[in-house]
Amino acid sequence: MTDLLRGARLAIPIVLGYLPVGFAFGVLAVQAGMTPLIAALMSLLVYAGSGQLIAAGLFGAGVGPASIVLTTFIVNLRHMLMAAALAPYLKHWSKPLQAWFAFELTDESFAANLGQFYAAKTVNTGATLGLNLCAHAGWLAGSVLGALFDSAIGDIRPLGLDFALPAMFIALILPHLAVRRRLLAVISGGFLSLVFALAGAGQWNVVLATVFAATLAAFLPDPRLAHKEGASRA
């Protein structure tokens, strides 16, 4: 129980971001024609923030189910890369537990879990599950509230809820800045994103900047691996 509570505390920054963004999804989903129950079930069973927002928009536009499924599948392909990055830390877990972790994996839980795994050099199962479950509960709670109170809100744009997600990512990235190559990735990624945007890359600026920044950072040595190599030689 102590480990679960520790994980829940680690999830607080994620929850603070998920509540308003989930609220926005709930409002948009109902305005697109979904019932509050369907919106809630989508957040419970699908649990894919950007994918859900896209799906709600497509649903409201009258797009067919096959196109919605294909679009959200493509949008969430990045989860395969995130899962591959975390897989070495979870290889001692049972297959059902790994499957549950994969279901709970999001951009934000990936960042939080990676930081914990890297810092502790081990995986605390209770804390990891507590973090993921608490984050999912925050997203579900925000979605339900938005779906139930959409008529009282109307247009969500004046509320500035779209700022919650960038603010959450800023909070999540701060602990990673102590690692030199991650700091380089953050700085170069932000700079390249701006360069590509000014060059007319449109929304591809983020994808291109991420690829170039991650590739650049990959060529820097990992201090932890270098330490292990030095110890083995000694």
Side-chain angles (χ1 to χ4, degrees):
M1 181 61 70
T2 302
D3 290 337
L4 287 173
L5 292 176
R6 176 173 172 268
R9 287 196 297 270
L10 293 173
I12 290 176
I14 300 177
V15 172
L16 293 177
Y18 275 3
L19 284 173
V21 180
F23 187 92
F25 162 73
V27 173
L28 293 174
V30 173
Q31 291 179 352
M34 296 183 189
T35 64
L37 177 60
I38 294 299
L41 286 175
M42 193 175 185
S43 288
L44 177 64
L45 302 176
V46 178
Y47 187 37
S50 59
Q52 288 183 226
L53 290 166
I54 292 172
L58 294 175
F59 182 83
V63 176
S67 297
I68 294 176
V69 171
L70 179 60
T71 301
T72 53
F73 173 75
I74 293 173
V75 168
N76 289 311
L77 277 176
R78 68 190 187 281
H79 286 204
M80 296 180 64
L81 298 176
M82 294 190 293
L86 295 178
Y89 296 99
L90 307 176
K91 58 185 178 182
H92 63 285
W93 281 17
S94 65
K95 295 300 181 184
L97 202 56
Q98 289 180 5
W100 179 257
F101 180 90
F103 169 70
E104 295 280 340
L105 183 62
T106 64
D107 299 310
E108 297 77 22
S109 66
F110 166 77
N113 280 313
L114 179 62
Q116 292 302 309
F117 296 169
Y118 187 90
K121 302 180 180 62
T122 186
V123 176
N124 185 310
T125 302
T128 301
L129 296 179
L131 187 155
N132 291 348
L133 287 171
C134 187
H136 194 169
W139 175 259
L140 179 60
S143 301
V144 170
L145 289 173
L148 292 177
F149 294 100
D150 72 293
S151 58
I153 299 300
D155 187 2
I156 62 173
R157 287 175 296 181
L159 300 179
L161 297 180
D162 54 338
F163 181 71
L165 204 57
M168 175 181 58
F169 274 114
I170 291 173
L172 290 173
I173 201 65
L174 287 178
H176 294 273
L177 299 184
V179 180
R180 183 184 303 175
R181 63 177 185 170
R182 295 181 189 176
L183 176 61
L184 174 64
V186 170
I187 295 175
S188 59
F191 174 75
L192 289 172
S193 178
L194 179 60
V195 170
F196 287 131
L198 294 176
Q203 295 188 0
W204 281 95
N205 69 304
V206 176
V207 176
L208 293 172
T210 300
V211 170
F212 278 94
T215 302
L216 178 63
F219 283 99
L220 287 181
D222 188 329
R224 189 177 63 166
L225 296 179
H227 175 74
K228 288 183 177 180
E229 183 178 347
S232 62
R233 289 178 179 176

